[in-house]
Amino acid sequence: MRKLQSHLSALLAAVLLLSALACPVSAASAGFADVPADHWAASYIARAADAGLVKGESANTFGLGRSMTRAAFVVVLCRLFGWKMISPAAGTFKDVQDPSAWYYSAVETALSKGAVAKQTGTFRPGDPVTREEMAVMLVRALGYTTLAGIDQGFACPFRDVESNAGYLTMAYHLGITGGTAPGLFSPEQTATREQAVAMLMRSYDRLTRGAPERIGILSGTGGPTDLSGYAAAAVPAAVLSGNGTLSAAMTKEQAASAAAAAKKAGVKLLLRVAGSPDSLGAAAGSASAIASAAAAGGYDGVLLDIPGVPAEKKDAFTALTAALDAGLSDRLLYVAADAPSSGGTALGYDFASLSAHADRLILRVAPYSRTVNGFPTAPLEPLEEVYYALAALKDSGVPGKKLSLYLTTTGSAWTGTAFAGNIPASEVEALLSASSVTASYSARYGTAYLSRAVGSSRTVVWYHTADSAAARVRMGAFFGVCSVCLSDLSSVADYADYSLLAGLKK
């Protein structure tokens, strides 16, 4: 199996995340006398101390096996996320009223960020934090409160969980926590300091991942002349027909122009081969035709993109992918596939087999298309569906490092409740600068939208911003995904106040 050369950016230095924190403990101080070198949490503890997240109970002891209070946990939580601390004159909780208390600002800050919920009038700062409380606060701190409350059909992996099942299921999927025994979480068990540090560092490692690898699909009508920053660019130059033959999808001049831009930037140039499920027939013949076209065109590899493969065509699609893997020799093979959907029918993608043959498996999450109270609700790659797809593949044998999240770069426009088509980023930018436009952001879907009324007509456009792009990058990082695929490189927003690319930079 060929190995994809790494084009990932170096991991972001921890100081970028922790710049607002207290001075970190030196590496030498992490050698606590009460933490054996072979202890399961030794690495977590050492790295947490080096990053300035935790300190020892004394100069040379960590406090292994001892409990951590709720107050101490929110203090560390604030350090982890680098939140700007607030200190209101009056405390929110009856038992957190002294502004001089070492945890006062942390409690108020965590509350303001949604990590802590005001379910009662007290916070109980001196109580030991439980395993359940830690996991819930971490999921809330990540901004996933709404997602954790949506029943997507996932069974809780722990049979001893009675409350906050959505939070604990999500914490498990995100890799933040495991159980205390097979099928058990021990939610009410007091958390030890090392258990707390382990949860925090698992989150820290995902949050400090570097910028994602960028893949892009060029347009037949033009695109960027500067492809620096991309690992690969796909040219939509071929279509697979029903009899297994290829036909051109763009002129030779257009293909040559795209190739020149890619070579100038030193990125991998891929031949994008599109098709319908009806084109899936004789795998060997189709693979041979595709491999020959890639070689003749001087491409570095192929992006195979056949959407909507039905269940009865699963074996045919897998066979074509396997044949391409063999036929391309040392060239790259990227495969696009429709992602698992919470409400969709099972499609014909054997994700484990596809990922075994492909260098990248690009997951295309379907958009919603609903009308809610007369308003067109059509988020692109809804964040809750991104989560569902990645969680569904978590234990399927698909390595996260093989996955790439598809990101639509055009806007989805609606006139009234009728779909008006996809519009380029330049048109979205023009609308945003027009009068009478209301721009909003849906935290649930992780997508922006604008609304403009002109007389009796209303225009609504759903589109991705820096925030929505960053939300998908962060979600992907918790599943080991470190790549995104931009749908149309002729329409990538990079304006002063509207920049999708800003969300892909660290």
mmCIF file of all heavy atoms in Angstrom, residues 389-407:
data_model
loop_
_atom_site.group_PDB
_atom_site.id
_atom_site.type_symbol
_atom_site.label_atom_id
_atom_site.label_comp_id
_atom_site.label_asym_id
_atom_site.label_seq_id
_atom_site.Cartn_x
_atom_site.Cartn_y
_atom_site.Cartn_z
ATOM 1 N N ALA A 389 -21.384 11.163 11.733
ATOM 2 C CA ALA A 389 -20.605 10.381 10.774
ATOM 3 C C ALA A 389 -19.301 9.892 11.388
ATOM 4 O O ALA A 389 -18.927 8.714 11.241
ATOM 5 C CB ALA A 389 -20.317 11.225 9.530
ATOM 6 N N LEU A 390 -18.598 10.773 12.082
ATOM 7 C CA LEU A 390 -17.311 10.390 12.664
ATOM 8 C C LEU A 390 -17.489 9.399 13.809
ATOM 9 O O LEU A 390 -16.693 8.466 13.968
ATOM 10 C CB LEU A 390 -16.561 11.632 13.131
ATOM 11 C CG LEU A 390 -16.136 12.594 12.007
ATOM 12 C CD1 LEU A 390 -15.495 13.842 12.587
ATOM 13 C CD2 LEU A 390 -15.192 11.899 11.035
ATOM 14 N N ALA A 391 -18.542 9.594 14.618
ATOM 15 C CA ALA A 391 -18.812 8.666 15.706
ATOM 16 C C ALA A 391 -19.203 7.299 15.165
ATOM 17 O O ALA A 391 -18.813 6.254 15.709
ATOM 18 C CB ALA A 391 -19.899 9.213 16.619
ATOM 19 N N ALA A 392 -19.986 7.281 14.077
ATOM 20 C CA ALA A 392 -20.410 6.019 13.474
ATOM 21 C C ALA A 392 -19.229 5.233 12.927
ATOM 22 O O ALA A 392 -19.241 4.000 12.890
ATOM 23 C CB ALA A 392 -21.422 6.287 12.362
ATOM 24 N N LEU A 393 -18.175 5.945 12.505
ATOM 25 C CA LEU A 393 -16.996 5.282 11.945
ATOM 26 C C LEU A 393 -15.915 5.016 12.976
ATOM 27 O O LEU A 393 -14.886 4.411 12.658
ATOM 28 C CB LEU A 393 -16.411 6.137 10.813
ATOM 29 C CG LEU A 393 -17.285 6.306 9.565
ATOM 30 C CD1 LEU A 393 -16.613 7.252 8.576
ATOM 31 C CD2 LEU A 393 -17.552 4.958 8.914
ATOM 32 N N LYS A 394 -16.137 5.450 14.223
ATOM 33 C CA LYS A 394 -15.096 5.378 15.251
ATOM 34 C C LYS A 394 -14.536 3.969 15.440
ATOM 35 O O LYS A 394 -13.319 3.780 15.535
ATOM 36 C CB LYS A 394 -15.650 5.901 16.582
ATOM 37 C CG LYS A 394 -14.649 5.848 17.748
ATOM 38 C CD LYS A 394 -15.261 6.393 19.014
ATOM 39 C CE LYS A 394 -14.333 6.242 20.216
ATOM 40 N NZ LYS A 394 -13.149 7.110 20.098
ATOM 41 N N ASP A 395 -15.390 2.993 15.506
ATOM 42 C CA ASP A 395 -14.940 1.626 15.759
ATOM 43 C C ASP A 395 -15.081 0.729 14.524
ATOM 44 O O ASP A 395 -15.204 -0.480 14.632
ATOM 45 C CB ASP A 395 -15.736 1.024 16.931
ATOM 46 C CG ASP A 395 -15.526 1.792 18.230
ATOM 47 O OD1 ASP A 395 -14.377 2.187 18.501
ATOM 48 O OD2 ASP A 395 -16.512 2.004 18.962
ATOM 49 N N SER A 396 -15.053 1.348 13.347
ATOM 50 C CA SER A 396 -15.276 0.594 12.109
ATOM 51 C C SER A 396 -13.993 0.128 11.443
ATOM 52 O O SER A 396 -14.038 -0.526 10.403
ATOM 53 C CB SER A 396 -16.059 1.458 11.111
ATOM 54 O OG SER A 396 -15.256 2.547 10.684
ATOM 55 N N GLY A 397 -12.870 0.486 12.025
ATOM 56 C CA GLY A 397 -11.606 0.121 11.408
ATOM 57 C C GLY A 397 -11.084 1.156 10.429
ATOM 58 O O GLY A 397 -10.097 0.907 9.732
ATOM 59 N N VAL A 398 -11.738 2.321 10.358
ATOM 60 C CA VAL A 398 -11.285 3.399 9.480
ATOM 61 C C VAL A 398 -10.364 4.327 10.273
ATOM 62 O O VAL A 398 -10.817 4.983 11.209
ATOM 63 C CB VAL A 398 -12.473 4.197 8.921
ATOM 64 C CG1 VAL A 398 -11.981 5.344 8.041
ATOM 65 C CG2 VAL A 398 -13.406 3.283 8.138
ATOM 66 N N PRO A 399 -9.081 4.429 9.942
ATOM 67 C CA PRO A 399 -8.178 5.318 10.680
ATOM 68 C C PRO A 399 -8.551 6.774 10.457
ATOM 69 O O PRO A 399 -8.787 7.200 9.317
ATOM 70 C CB PRO A 399 -6.797 5.006 10.079
ATOM 71 C CG PRO A 399 -6.967 3.738 9.296
ATOM 72 C CD PRO A 399 -8.396 3.704 8.858
ATOM 73 N N GLY A 400 -8.617 7.542 11.530
ATOM 74 C CA GLY A 400 -8.942 8.954 11.399
ATOM 75 C C GLY A 400 -7.968 9.687 10.494
ATOM 76 O O GLY A 400 -8.351 10.610 9.772
ATOM 77 N N LYS A 401 -6.698 9.269 10.506
ATOM 78 C CA LYS A 401 -5.686 9.955 9.709
ATOM 79 C C LYS A 401 -5.909 9.775 8.208
ATOM 80 O O LYS A 401 -5.341 10.519 7.405
ATOM 81 C CB LYS A 401 -4.297 9.461 10.084
ATOM 82 C CG LYS A 401 -4.051 7.994 9.778
ATOM 83 C CD LYS A 401 -2.673 7.554 10.220
ATOM 84 C CE LYS A 401 -2.429 6.079 9.903
ATOM 85 N NZ LYS A 401 -1.072 5.658 10.353
ATOM 86 N N LYS A 402 -6.747 8.805 7.826
ATOM 87 C CA LYS A 402 -7.056 8.602 6.415
ATOM 88 C C LYS A 402 -8.217 9.485 5.954
ATOM 89 O O LYS A 402 -8.464 9.632 4.759
ATOM 90 C CB LYS A 402 -7.442 7.131 6.165
ATOM 91 C CG LYS A 402 -6.286 6.136 6.141
ATOM 92 C CD LYS A 402 -5.582 6.181 4.798
ATOM 93 C CE LYS A 402 -4.610 5.037 4.613
ATOM 94 N NZ LYS A 402 -5.232 3.833 4.072
ATOM 95 N N LEU A 403 -8.975 10.058 6.901
ATOM 96 C CA LEU A 403 -10.196 10.777 6.566
ATOM 97 C C LEU A 403 -9.950 12.247 6.251
ATOM 98 O O LEU A 403 -9.041 12.882 6.795
ATOM 99 C CB LEU A 403 -11.199 10.683 7.717
ATOM 100 C CG LEU A 403 -11.743 9.289 8.036
ATOM 101 C CD1 LEU A 403 -12.633 9.348 9.274
ATOM 102 C CD2 LEU A 403 -12.515 8.728 6.845
ATOM 103 N N SER A 404 -10.783 12.783 5.375
ATOM 104 C CA SER A 404 -10.794 14.208 5.062
ATOM 105 C C SER A 404 -12.246 14.653 5.054
ATOM 106 O O SER A 404 -13.114 13.966 4.495
ATOM 107 C CB SER A 404 -10.157 14.463 3.691
ATOM 108 O OG SER A 404 -10.145 15.849 3.382
ATOM 109 N N LEU A 405 -12.541 15.784 5.690
ATOM 110 C CA LEU A 405 -13.904 16.304 5.738
ATOM 111 C C LEU A 405 -14.147 17.242 4.562
ATOM 112 O O LEU A 405 -13.412 18.202 4.346
ATOM 113 C CB LEU A 405 -14.145 17.050 7.052
ATOM 114 C CG LEU A 405 -14.192 16.204 8.327
ATOM 115 C CD1 LEU A 405 -14.324 17.110 9.543
ATOM 116 C CD2 LEU A 405 -15.344 15.209 8.273
ATOM 117 N N TYR A 406 -15.196 16.949 3.806
ATOM 118 C CA TYR A 406 -15.585 17.773 2.666
ATOM 119 C C TYR A 406 -16.221 19.060 3.193
ATOM 120 O O TYR A 406 -17.049 19.036 4.099
ATOM 121 C CB TYR A 406 -16.591 16.985 1.824
ATOM 122 C CG TYR A 406 -16.990 17.599 0.512
ATOM 123 C CD1 TYR A 406 -16.230 17.404 -0.637
ATOM 124 C CD2 TYR A 406 -18.167 18.334 0.403
ATOM 125 C CE1 TYR A 406 -16.622 17.931 -1.857
ATOM 126 C CE2 TYR A 406 -18.571 18.873 -0.809
ATOM 127 C CZ TYR A 406 -17.792 18.668 -1.938
ATOM 128 O OH TYR A 406 -18.185 19.189 -3.142
ATOM 129 N N LEU A 407 -15.829 20.189 2.629
ATOM 130 C CA LEU A 407 -16.307 21.488 3.090
ATOM 131 C C LEU A 407 -16.786 22.297 1.879
ATOM 132 O O LEU A 407 -16.006 22.616 0.987
ATOM 133 C CB LEU A 407 -15.183 22.230 3.808
ATOM 134 C CG LEU A 407 -15.548 23.413 4.696
ATOM 135 C CD1 LEU A 407 -16.429 22.970 5.849
ATOM 136 C CD2 LEU A 407 -14.278 24.074 5.239
#
